[in-house]
């Protein structure tokens, strides 16, 4: 179990909802992954993310899907690609990523609380 944190510490992690608008293959990644472009609404805009989703999702099934992402991490260089947000997911029974998504459509840029 992780250390206990205060609500103030939790509030520092900016988790927002966005919509995947483009998915590209990412053959240069060490582990199979896609390059995502995600629209987080007018306040945050469109951000890029690398995500290891290839085992559970076909590219064409990701476009249009709402996802949650941490938008205030420092950008991370992954090979030739700059990942600006951390797209959130959980491991399935085989250790492959399953996206964290809202159970109903919500406005883009909405903050998790």
């Amino acid at each position: 179990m992780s250390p206990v944190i205060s609500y103030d510490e939790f509030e520092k992690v900016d988790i927002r909802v966005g919509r995947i608008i483009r998915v590209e293959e990412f053959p240069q990644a060490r582990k199979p992954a896609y390059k995502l472009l995600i629209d987080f609404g007018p306040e945050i805009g469109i951000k890029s993310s690398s995500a290891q989703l290839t085992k559970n999702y076909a590219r064409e099934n990701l476009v249009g899907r709402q996802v949650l992402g941490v938008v205030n991490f420092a950008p991370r260089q992954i090979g030739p690609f700059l990942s600006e947000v951390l797209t959130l997911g959980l491991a399935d029974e085989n250790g492959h990523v399953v996206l964290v998504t809202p159970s109903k459509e919500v406005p883009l840029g909405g903050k998790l609380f």
Side-chain angles (χ1 to χ4, degrees), residues 17-85:
V17 66
R19 183 179 315 284
I20 298 172
I21 58 173
R22 191 167 78 207
V23 181
E24 297 178 4
E25 298 289 337
F26 190 10
Q28 303 91 341
R30 281 186 290 153
K31 295 181 181 178
Y34 293 130
K35 295 189 282 189
L36 308 177
L37 272 185
I38 305 171
D39 182 359
F40 286 95
E43 180 184 342
I44 296 166
I46 296 172
K47 300 291 182 181
S48 60
S49 181
S50 172
Q52 296 173 8
L53 304 173
T54 60
K55 298 292 185 187
N56 282 324
Y57 301 94
R59 285 176 50 204
E60 59 273 11
N61 295 333
L62 288 169
V63 173
R65 183 183 294 259
Q66 286 194 322
V67 295
L68 294 177
V70 178
V71 298
N72 66 334
F73 275 156
R76 183 172 176 200
Q77 192 72 43
I78 302 173
F81 184 71
L82 185 64
S83 186
E84 300 174 292
V85 300

